[in-house]
C-alpha cells in the first residue's frame, strides 16, 4: 500500500507536466503548419543553388 502513496502523486505530477508542455507547444505555434515541413523536404531548389565562395 505504501508504494501506491508514492507512485500516484508522481504519476499525476508527470501527467500535469506533460499537459503543460503540450499546452506550451500549442501556444508557441508548433502545430500551425503541418504540411509545410512535408513539402519542404521534397523541394530541392535549395540544393540547386551554387555554394557561397567567400
Amino acid at each position: 500500500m505504501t508504494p501506491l502513496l508514492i507512485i500516484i502523486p508522481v504519476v499525476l505530477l508527470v501527467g500535469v507536466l506533460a499537459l503543460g508542455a503540450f499546452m506550451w507547444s500549442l501556444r508557441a505555434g508548433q502545430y500551425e503548419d503541418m504540411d509545410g515541413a512535408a513539402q519542404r523536404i521534397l523541394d530541392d531548389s535549395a540544393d540547386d543553388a551554387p555554394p557561397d565562395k567567400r
Side-chain angles (χ1 to χ4, degrees):
M1 185 68 179
T2 304
L4 285 179
L5 295 176
I6 296 170
I7 292 173
I8 291 175
V10 169
V11 168
L12 289 175
L13 179 67
V14 169
V16 167
L17 288 175
L19 182 63
F22 177 69
M23 296 303 288
W24 171 80
S25 68
L26 281 178
R27 290 190 181 135
Q30 295 291 320
Y31 302 108
E32 286 186 8
D33 185 20
M34 297 300 287
D35 294 328
Q39 294 299 321
R40 275 192 303 272
I41 199 168
L42 298 174
D43 183 25
D44 60 349
S45 63
D47 294 336
D48 295 337
D52 248 354
K53 293 188 178 183
R54 287 188 185 179

